[in-house]
Amino acid sequence: MAQRDLVGIELPMWGRVVAGDDYVPWLVVDHGYAYDLLRWWRCLYVVEVAWSRASMDEV
């Protein structure tokens, strides 16, 4: 895999992650992005793949 220069990358400033509570340790504050994550989480659940084990095959 080719090496990429990550130093010069600037990410857009939309949404944010904030501290939650004991039940939900973090919250994504951006309705569009949050729904994308929920959709992805549900997809992984259906194919029985843990979030930490997802790969390009699931994408």
Side-chain angles (χ1 to χ4, degrees), residues 29-53:
V29 183
D30 178 299
H31 70 280
Y33 188 61
Y35 281 116
D36 290 342
L37 285 174
L38 177 60
R39 206 172 296 117
W40 177 239
W41 193 275
R42 287 177 175 169
C43 175
L44 292 176
Y45 178 80
V46 168
V47 296
E48 299 179 346
V49 173
W51 178 274
S52 61
R53 308 278 304 168

Side-chain angles (χ1 to χ4, degrees), residues 1-48:
M1 182 180 294
Q3 295 291 325
R4 290 188 266 168
D5 178 19
L6 302 178
V7 175
I9 292 177
E10 291 185 35
L11 297 175
M13 298 298 293
W14 66 73
R16 64 188 189 281
V17 177
V18 297
D21 54 27
D22 291 337
Y23 182 70
V24 179
W26 49 266
L27 301 167
V28 177
V29 183
D30 178 299
H31 70 280
Y33 188 61
Y35 281 116
D36 290 342
L37 285 174
L38 177 60
R39 206 172 296 117
W40 177 239
W41 193 275
R42 287 177 175 169
C43 175
L44 292 176
Y45 178 80
V46 168
V47 296
E48 299 179 346

